[in-house]
């Protein structure tokens, strides 16, 4: 899988010549609705499955105070794209400059730098400064082209619409099982790039050192990713610490 930054993608000399299918989104957590979108790219005639996504969640950029946290870290997100069979990921740094781009300009950059055959987006998709371009506007953007445009309705589970926002709320309230029902690859706390401290048989991190959404204070059995290995641990979460204990041999 190729990973390219947005700035390199829009370089005048960059072009993906293979017939390409594209989808765009934050893709935090890669839930079953996201997997449905990605699956629409796997059709005959499309050789490059391209995802445009963000290094940092735009929701955090606009509302740091009330944002509960990311479901997946960026390395986790990239890993699940690879597992899903995506061939190219274009990473966008959601800076103040990017947030000022018009949606039509953003889409025109995508059209100019690859051999676009198909685009798939969710019905609630929006982009551009002040969300000036929404899913319904895409029909006008592509009416003079041969690009196949598919706008997908939100997937539901047991009658409940699936969304990253709802999954964050489930995790934050300690409803891990309900969150994992909606997630294609489960929920794991990524400790790989964090300063994990140890005192005797206790391991811990400071909660404010991670941007992932965590359950509220209490005891939970959670998947922990450390040194690229996943283990299930009973963790204790309080106002300051996220900690667990070495298991006796």
């Amino acid at each position: 899988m190729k990973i390219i930054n947005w700035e390199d993608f829009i370089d005048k000399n960059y072009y993906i010549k293979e017939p390409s299918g594209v989808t765009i989104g934050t893709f935090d957590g890669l839930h079953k609705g996201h997997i449905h979108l990605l699956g629409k790219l796997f059709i005959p005639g499309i050789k490059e499955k391209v995802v445009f996504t963000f290094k940092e969640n735009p929701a955090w950029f606009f509302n740091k105070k009330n944002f509960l946290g990311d479901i997946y870290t960026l390395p986790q997100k990239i890993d699940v794209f690879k597992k899903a069979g995506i061939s190219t990921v274009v990473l966008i740094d959601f800076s103040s400059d990017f947030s000022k781009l018009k949606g039509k300009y953003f889409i025109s950059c995508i059209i100019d730098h690859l051999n676009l055959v198909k685009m798939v987006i969710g019905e609630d998709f929006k982009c551009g400064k002040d969300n000036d371009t929404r899913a319904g506007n895409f029909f006008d953007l592509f009416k003079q082209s041969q690009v196949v445009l598919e706008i997908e309705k939100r997937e539901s589970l047991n009658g409940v619409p699936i969304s990253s926002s709802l999954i964050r709320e489930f995790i934050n309230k300690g409803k891990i099982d309900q969150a994992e029902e909606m997630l294609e690859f489960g929920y794991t706390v990524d400790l790989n790039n964090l300063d994990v401290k140890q005192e005797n048989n206790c391991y811990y991190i400071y909660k404010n050192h991670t941007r992932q959404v965590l359950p509220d204070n209490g005891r939970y059995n959670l998947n922990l990713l450390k040194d690229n290995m996943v283990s299930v641990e009973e963790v204790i979460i309080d106002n300051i610490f996220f900690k667990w204990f070495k298991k006796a041999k």
Side-chain angles (χ1 to χ4, degrees):
M1 187 177 76
K2 299 186 293 292
I3 301 171
I4 181 170
N5 289 323
W6 171 254
E7 292 77 10
D8 295 324
F9 176 80
I10 61 174
D11 182 88
K12 64 180 181 179
N13 296 317
Y14 189 86
Y15 186 76
I16 298 177
K17 63 181 180 180
E18 291 80 8
S20 300
V22 164
T23 189
I24 313 165
T26 304
F27 294 109
D28 186 19
L30 259 79
H31 54 59
K32 296 184 186 301
H34 293 148
I35 296 300
H36 174 76
L37 278 182
L38 297 180
K40 294 291 182 176
L41 302 180
F42 289 80
I43 62 171
I46 291 181
K47 293 188 176 181
E48 281 286 322
K49 290 83 175 174
V50 185
V51 170
F52 290 80
T53 192
F54 302 98
K55 293 180 181 178
E56 295 183 333
N57 198 314
W60 175 83
F61 180 84
F62 286 113
N63 193 5
K64 294 180 178 65
K65 183 178 180 180
N66 296 316
F67 183 58
L68 292 176
D70 297 317
I71 301 168
Y72 284 178
T73 61
L74 182 59
Q76 285 179 303
K77 185 161 71 167
I78 289 172
D79 182 58
V80 293
F81 281 138
K82 186 175 182 179
K83 289 177 180 176
I86 296 304
S87 47
T88 300
V89 175
V90 181
L91 291 176
I92 299 167
D93 182 3
F94 200 85
S95 62
S96 57
D97 287 340
F98 184 87
S99 67
K100 295 173 185 176
L101 294 183
K102 294 289 187 181
K104 289 183 180 180
Y105 175 76
F106 171 58
I107 300 303
S108 72
C109 289
I110 293 175
I111 294 170
D112 290 345
H113 290 274
L114 49 73
N115 180 10
L116 184 60
V117 173
K118 182 178 183 180
M119 180 174 285
V120 184
I121 55 174
E123 63 179 349
D124 55 353
F125 178 82
K126 50 188 178 293
C127 66
K129 180 176 170 56
D130 300 323
N131 295 323
D132 66 0
T133 305
R134 296 175 180 265
N137 303 126
F138 278 60
F139 291 107
D140 289 335
L141 295 176
F142 292 120
K143 67 182 178 181
Q144 301 298 328
S145 74
Q146 300 299 311
V147 175
V148 175
L149 174 66
E150 290 188 12
I151 298 178
E152 298 295 315
K153 292 185 177 180
R154 187 187 293 272
E155 291 286 295
S156 295
L157 180 67
N158 301 322
V160 179
I162 299 172
S163 72
S164 297
S165 296
L166 180 58
I167 293 169
R168 281 189 203 94
E169 290 179 16
F170 281 150
I171 294 171
N172 186 241
K173 293 176 181 177
K175 299 178 179 180
I176 308 301
D177 290 345
Q178 289 173 265
E180 292 202 320
E181 276 191 296
M182 294 185 169
L183 289 166
E184 186 71 11
F185 297 97
Y187 168 70
T188 299
V189 179
D190 186 356
L191 304 170
N192 270 336
N193 296 308
L194 299 180
D195 181 16
V196 177
K197 299 183 181 298
Q198 180 181 3
E199 290 185 7
N200 298 320
N201 66 333
C202 177
Y203 295 88
Y204 65 94
I205 64 168
Y206 289 96
K207 281 172 55 175
N208 62 3
H209 286 184
T210 178
R211 285 257 301 276
Q212 273 189 278
V213 58
L214 298 175
D216 200 1
N217 295 354
R219 288 177 176 260
Y220 306 90
N221 289 320
L222 297 178
N223 294 320
L224 304 186
L225 177 64
K226 181 73 172 71
D227 299 325
N228 295 314
M229 299 288 291
V230 176
S231 61
V232 180
E233 307 287 350
E234 182 184 42
V235 303
I236 302 171
I237 303 174
D238 59 29
N239 289 334
I240 300 173
F241 298 110
F242 176 104
K243 55 189 175 182
W244 65 102
F245 295 86
K246 184 189 297 184
K247 295 177 181 176
K249 293 183 179 181

